[in-house]
Amino acid sequence: MFSPSIKELVQALRVLPGVGPKSAQKMALHLLERDDAGAERLAKALRHALDNVVRCGDCRTLTESNQCDICADPERDSTRLCIVEAPADIAAIEATGQFQGRYFVLMGHLSPIDGIGPEELGLEKLERLVATLGVEEVILATGSTVEGEATCHYIAQLLKPHNVEVSRLAQGVPIGGELEYVDGNTLALALQGRKKL
Amino acid sequence: MFSPSIKELVQALRVLPGVGPKSAQKMALHLLERDDAGAERLAKALRHALDNVVRCGDCRTLTESNQCDICADPERDSTRLCIVEAPADIAAIEATGQFQGRYFVLMGHLSPIDGIGPEELGLEKLERLVATLGVEEVILATGSTVEGEATCHYIAQLLKPHNVEVSRLAQGVPIGGELEYVDGNTLALALQGRKKL
């Protein structure tokens, strides 16, 4: 029904997460029927990002120079290093305004089944960074998932010889969470980790 | 938090229908972190479609040559012309396998509030096409919406002097529709249009 380059655009749009065949067709036709300017902008933005975005040489986040803005900022506290799974996690933590240290991005979590081991997560680089920066505290901010926990434990073991304090984000009932709706595992953790008032 | 070309990619992805700021960020990071090849494919497909897709000179659908495959097919019945709002509607009707005629795509519907009048819908071209093809029946397959109905009535009036039969897709209860869940307007139409058995 559609010409080859429309079909290829529909297929290509399916690389986007959460986009199935129906939405991809809707997106392609929307761009070609009604939004030439938007399609042009998207094509240019993709091209530009593909040609310019690289990994930060220190923390491995996505950036456009050798060093990202945070790693290049002399005001940041180099003695605290927060380890996250993805660049979006940095954005979430920065939005809290509660952390002045630096980051290290794993770009994933340990997942032997997908062939993601310590090397893919740049853990050698992490060890070097901890040594060269003179890090005193490493905060493990991987996800509260099975893989996130496994990664967390692996890194904690790895850093033992480095004589740094290793901490983990607190786990418990989220703010605004009504106990009735909090899942059992979270509630069990919250109980175990209860604090004296 | 993100570098300028990542921010621009996030903004650019928002031209896609149904994509808000959160999904746009997720899509951009997915492409840059994990799917360089997919991003490359999407950038090329967009560029290629933008450079090659044009409107069919006869029916106004999206195509890559002067005439689309359907208009160029001598096997199609030129005496029947089906008028639809968008290229996706052609795909839907073709999928039924019930129509052997040709199409005319309005690329929208009458909507004075958005500045879409008879000229934007190519109605002059439609009149010329009806005359040159020797069309005997025009099937109005615009949407069952207020605008679709208005467009339908306008075109029916317009074609009166051309001495062609003008028909409209049947309206009623959809197949598999349980009466309980069919909306009142549809049910009223289905009653008015009841058929003797």
Side-chain angles (χ1 to χ4, degrees), chain A residues 71-134:
Chain A
C71 287
D73 182 352
E75 304 276 294
R76 306 287 303 208
D77 177 1
S78 291
T79 64
R80 287 181 213 294
L81 188 70
C82 181
I83 301 186
V84 295
E85 294 186 16
D89 301 336
I90 298 185
I93 294 176
E94 285 295 292
T96 69
Q98 297 293 304
F99 183 67
Q100 319 305 331
R102 288 174 61 165
Y103 295 91
F104 184 82
V105 185
L106 302 172
M107 289 284 176
H109 44 233
L110 287 180
S111 178
I113 236 174
D114 303 312
I116 302 179
E119 205 166 305
E120 283 71 27
L121 301 182
L123 297 189
E124 269 188 39
K125 190 181 191 104
L126 170 65
E127 286 193 80
R128 280 201 304 277
L129 194 69
V130 165
T132 53
L133 287 180

Side-chain angles (χ1 to χ4, degrees), chain B:
Chain B
M1 202 40 42
F2 298 114
S3 75
S5 59
I6 302 177
K7 277 188 199 148
E8 167 56 17
L9 178 58
V10 173
Q11 284 306 314
L13 281 162
R14 295 195 54 195
V15 305
L16 297 172
V19 175
K22 280 261 174 186
S23 331
Q25 181 182 310
K26 200 177 157 190
M27 287 172 170
L29 294 175
H30 170 87
L31 291 177
L32 296 172
E33 284 168 31
R34 248 162 301 180
D35 198 0
D36 265 21
E40 189 65 56
R41 180 179 179 188
L42 180 53
K44 283 195 182 131
L46 265 169
R47 183 77 274 143
H48 191 263
L50 276 167
D51 293 344
N52 290 281
V53 172
V54 292
R55 301 283 166 89
C56 170
D58 283 355
C59 76
R60 309 207 329 149
T61 196
L62 298 169
T63 179
E64 276 161 81
S65 33
N66 291 334
Q67 226 186 7
C68 72
D69 289 353
I70 292 178
C71 288
D73 183 352
E75 303 277 296
R76 306 287 302 206
D77 177 0
S78 291
T79 64
R80 294 189 203 290
L81 189 70
C82 181
I83 301 186
V84 295
E85 293 186 17
D89 301 335
I90 298 185
I93 294 175
E94 285 295 294
T96 70
Q98 297 294 304
F99 182 68
Q100 320 303 334
R102 287 175 60 165
Y103 295 91
F104 185 82
V105 185
L106 300 171
M107 288 284 177
H109 42 232
L110 287 178
S111 178
I113 237 174
D114 303 313
I116 302 178
E119 206 167 305
E120 283 71 24
L121 301 183
L123 297 189
E124 269 186 39
K125 189 182 193 100
L126 170 64
E127 286 192 80
R128 279 201 306 276
L129 194 69
V130 165
T132 52
L133 287 180
V135 171
E136 290 164 16
E137 183 186 5
V138 168
I139 298 157
L140 291 162
T142 54
S144 278
T145 58
V146 176
E147 297 88 352
E149 292 297 337
T151 308
C152 179
H153 286 294
Y154 187 94
I155 297 176
Q157 286 303 114
L158 188 75
L159 294 179
K160 268 208 175 134
H162 289 270
N163 197 28
V164 287
E165 205 179 314
V166 176
S167 61
R168 173 91 174 111
L169 287 191
Q171 293 177 308
V173 179
I175 303 295
E178 295 190 66
L179 283 203
E180 191 180 346
Y181 301 113
V182 171
D183 71 290
N185 293 329
T186 300
L187 212 49
L189 271 174
L191 261 174
Q192 284 165 29
R194 65 190 179 277
K195 282 184 171 179
K196 283 228 167 82
L197 296 180

Side-chain angles (χ1 to χ4, degrees), chain A residues 28-49:
Chain A
L29 293 174
H30 170 87
L31 291 177
L32 296 172
E33 284 168 33
R34 248 163 300 181
D35 198 359
D36 266 20
E40 189 64 57
R41 180 179 178 188
L42 180 53
K44 284 197 180 127
L46 265 170
R47 184 76 274 146
H48 192 263

